[in-house]
Amino acid sequence: MKATDLMVKCLEAEGVDYIFGIPGEENIDLMDSLSRSSISFVLTRHEQAAAFMADVYGRLTGKPGVCLATLGPGATNLITGVANAQLDRSPLIAITGQAERTRLHKESHQNIDTVQVFKAITKYDQQVLAAETIPEIVRKAFNLATRENPGAIHISLPVDTAKEETNGEPPYIGKQAKAAPNKASLREAATLIAGAKDPIILAGNGVIRGRASEELKALVQAGNLPAVHTFMAKGILPFEHELNLFTVGGQKLPDELRPLLAADLIIAVGFDLVEYDPKAWNSDRSRRILHIHAAPSETDEHYPVALEVIGDLRYSLMALTTYVEQRSESSAHFAIRRRRLQQLQALPSPPEQLPQKIMQYLSEQLPPDAALISDVGLHKLWVSRWYQPKRPGQTIIFNGLASMGVSLPGAIGARLARPDAPVVVVSGDGGFMMNSQELETAKRLGLAFTIIVFNDKHLSLIEKHQQDSDLAVTQISFTNPDFALYAQSFGIAHRSARTPEEFSAALEEAVNSGELNLLEIIHKR
């Protein structure tokens, strides 16, 4: 058989359903093999968008999303999306074509060393130099992509290797054993918690990845432990839960509203340092860290780990729950919850009154299984602060690389990952226009979801940083197309809103329409 036939057999054995990307001359053999397979190829309009689709698909399913590009510019166009998956711990496999092995050593057309290019942003980066190695390379790639910490993998397939005749079969794929935590470390963790005056749980993205939200909630209840969550862990506790001290990160709050500052022990559960810089909440290094994760902690002077409990998070949390003792209520943290609740429910400054109300309507009107995907910009802070999901793992916020333009392609990945669940995108006009060409992809695939775009003709987050730094506000304004005509040109529905009431009605129509919708919010400044 041809080498690409063997690669496709290996991809099928790994359970790949979709590959997102753009073909090129150097991967036409792989495309030919895919045409006879059970795998659906999703033709995108830009390789960066293909990687974003694979990122969200992997994030929601737990199995690697796969993207494909040709050599040279096709490969380099993937880079932002691959790096986004790597920093957000999303399992992703990027496959790129490459020139013939006989010209890799010299300057030649479209030839760059993509293995070196991808090395810094992947967990594993391998060129296929012989066809018979394909089964081992593919198996290793999928294994590493899904182990903690999950991340991105790059496989380079030279065009002459792709054409080779070979024999082989996909290797045996066994189950990954769950690593159980050390019992002695669990008992020591319970002792550490019992000896703390004001401990608090800091829940991170690892809890979502490990499907451990219910186990975390049980620990909170068993120990009467207050908890905060990062942007990427929204929904772990219900908004109304008396021990939920809400989201941390991003927004600069007065000290009296910052729960981590009132603690002497931070119980970091599934927390990745990329989510919230410890220097922001432990600058004096006075707070000790109990690190509970599937992987050892990163070294950081502001993250002084007193104890690590390493193992499968569900096992770790279930076991720790049996050891912890019920604590009396922390008066310091109870006061912070009350003050933060008042702040969240207070009427904000005029420019934020419309966004706050929109987040309230999204919280109230979206069904429990709806996925909300936020782009990157000032609206991401609005989502993290005011949007309250009904379930964990339903809110996608990108907070590692935090690339603009990720949400529309991400919604395509989300709809394919969970075909029966509604999907809503929240984006600024800056981020939306970076990958708006993927409206054609979504329309061609017949996917229904709603894209909410705040139209204020500004890079609002950069403007805010300029203002907060007492610098000149410059180079942050632009013009937009007529979004009604723009939507019409792609054959999709357009709705607009200028008030919260108009938005509420438009949202209900859009979500219930069963169509692809662009809902424009005209946000006057």
Side-chain angles (χ1 to χ4, degrees):
M1 78 183 85
K2 194 162 57 174
T4 52
D5 291 334
L6 177 58
M7 176 169 272
V8 169
K9 287 179 68 174
C10 292
L11 294 173
E12 288 178 321
E14 297 289 348
V16 174
D17 295 315
Y18 297 97
I19 295 179
F20 307 93
I22 298 179
E25 291 177 42
E26 281 67 27
N27 54 27
I28 56 174
D29 288 282
L30 183 56
M31 294 299 299
D32 179 63
S33 297
L34 283 170
S35 71
R36 297 186 297 275
S37 79
S38 62
I39 299 170
S40 297
F41 185 79
V42 177
L43 176 64
T44 66
R45 303 306 299 268
H46 196 286
E47 293 90 349
Q48 182 191 93
F52 287 149
M53 293 175 199
D55 175 332
V56 174
Y57 184 89
R59 193 179 305 223
L60 289 175
T61 63
K63 64 181 186 179
V66 183
C67 54
L68 174 72
T70 190
L71 82 174
T76 58
N77 279 347
L78 284 176
I79 287 174
T80 298
V82 172
N84 200 78
Q86 177 72 353
L87 286 187
D88 274 359
R89 308 285 195 255
S90 299
L92 176 145
I93 310 287
I95 302 171
T96 62
Q98 183 52 290
E100 299 89 342
R101 289 165 292 178
T102 54
R103 65 183 178 98
L104 294 180
H105 66 287
K106 62 184 179 180
E107 180 179 312
S108 57
H109 178 64
Q110 289 193 319
N111 173 32
I112 59 171
D113 189 343
T114 52
V115 172
Q116 285 299 313
V117 168
F118 281 89
K119 186 175 183 179
I121 56 169
T122 55
K123 292 181 70 177
Y124 174 56
D125 182 21
Q126 182 63 53
Q127 192 163 78
V128 182
L129 297 176
E132 60 264 28
T133 64
I134 286 173
E136 291 180 347
I137 289 172
V138 172
R139 177 80 284 270
K140 183 175 180 179
F142 277 78
N143 183 33
L144 290 175
T146 53
R147 285 191 180 273
E148 280 291 340
N149 288 310
I153 308 295
H154 172 236
I155 299 173
S156 170
L157 182 64
V159 64
D160 52 340
T161 308
K163 296 176 183 297
E164 282 184 357
E165 287 296 315
T166 188
N167 293 309
E169 291 293 332
Y172 175 74
I173 302 173
K175 291 184 178 180
Q176 290 184 4
K178 301 290 186 181
N182 179 279
K183 289 185 178 180
S185 67
L186 288 166
R187 287 191 290 267
E188 191 176 347
T191 300
L192 197 61
I193 295 170
K197 180 176 181 292
D198 286 302
I200 188 171
I201 291 173
L202 169 59
N205 186 27
V207 178
I208 302 295
R209 293 196 302 271
R211 280 38 176 187
S213 300
E214 288 302 314
E215 290 75 14
L216 179 70
K217 191 187 299 184
L219 176 63
V220 166
Q221 292 294 128
N224 198 33
L225 294 164
V228 294
H229 55 264
T230 64
F231 290 4
M232 299 176 74
K234 280 191 74 71
I236 281 178
L237 288 179
F239 178 75
E240 63 276 5
H241 196 290
E242 66 277 6
L243 293 169
N244 183 358
L245 272 61
F246 315 119
T247 310
V248 294
Q251 184 187 16
K252 293 180 180 178
L253 293 170
D255 286 358
E256 64 270 17
L257 291 174
R258 301 179 65 186
L260 295 176
L261 297 188
D264 59 339
L265 176 68
I266 310 295
I267 308 166
V269 183
F271 171 71
D272 304 318
L273 268 65
V274 72
E275 298 183 77
Y276 188 24
D277 187 353
K279 188 175 181 180
W281 47 268
N282 201 18
S283 59
D284 61 1
R285 300 184 290 277
S286 65
R287 295 156 196 87
R288 294 176 299 165
I289 309 295
L290 170 55
H291 180 82
I292 305 175
H293 210 308
S297 63
E298 174 65 274
T299 300
D300 187 296
E301 64 175 323
H302 299 284
Y303 194 77
V305 176
L307 177 66
E308 286 189 328
V309 176
I310 305 302
D312 179 79
L313 268 187
R314 295 184 68 191
Y315 290 171
S316 295
L317 293 172
M318 283 190 290
L320 183 57
T321 298
T322 66
Y323 288 109
V324 296
E325 299 175 356
Q326 182 84 197
R327 298 177 58 87
S328 59
E329 189 175 80
S330 166
S331 58
H333 283 124
F334 178 79
I336 289 174
R337 173 179 162 82
R338 178 170 42 80
R339 289 194 296 265
R340 292 202 78 186
L341 189 58
Q342 290 172 347
Q343 186 239 8
L344 286 169
Q345 294 174 339
L347 191 67
S349 60
E352 290 192 326
Q353 288 176 14
L354 177 62
Q356 184 200 46
K357 200 68 178 175
I358 283 169
M359 295 304 142
Q360 177 187 329
Y361 282 133
L362 283 168
S363 303
E364 293 170 353
Q365 292 180 225
L366 291 185
D369 62 341
L372 184 141
I373 304 176
S374 173
D375 212 90
V376 176
L378 188 57
H379 60 278
K380 184 176 86 169
L381 301 184
W382 299 334
V383 170
S384 67
R385 193 189 325 168
W386 291 316
Y387 175 66
Q388 307 303 335
K390 299 175 179 69
R391 294 177 186 169
Q394 303 290 108
T395 309
I396 306 296
I397 297 179
F398 304 89
N399 211 43
L401 189 69
S403 174
M404 292 175 68
V406 65
S407 60
L408 170 53
I412 294 173
R415 284 293 288 153
L416 294 175
R418 297 180 179 178
D420 298 325
V423 174
V424 171
V425 165
V426 177
S427 180
D429 43 8
F432 170 69
M433 289 302 294
M434 286 187 177
N435 272 312
S436 62
Q437 75 282 345
E438 301 306 326
L439 288 171
E440 188 279 329
T441 306
K443 179 68 174 180
R444 173 169 26 94
L445 294 174
L447 301 180
F449 57 89
T450 298
I451 307 137
I452 299 166
V453 178
F454 284 92
N455 181 1
D456 66 0
K457 302 180 177 65
H458 281 71
L459 297 174
S460 303
L461 183 60
I462 306 306
E463 179 183 35
K464 184 178 187 305
H465 284 308
Q466 289 173 338
Q467 292 170 339
D468 291 346
S469 301
D470 294 322
L471 298 174
V473 174
T474 181
Q475 303 302 322
I476 47 84
S477 60
F478 45 80
T479 61
N480 283 321
D482 182 317
F483 282 130
L485 293 177
Y486 196 65
Q488 182 183 344
S489 71
F490 286 100
I492 69 174
H494 171 270
R495 293 173 174 82
S496 64
R498 295 175 182 270
T499 67
E501 293 72 26
E502 289 177 353
F503 171 79
S504 177
L507 177 66
E508 183 176 3
E509 290 176 2
V511 171
N512 293 329
S513 70
E515 297 179 340
L516 184 62
N517 295 273
L518 180 63
L519 202 174
E520 175 188 2
I521 299 171
I522 301 168
H523 191 200
K524 292 295 185 181
R525 304 173 59 81

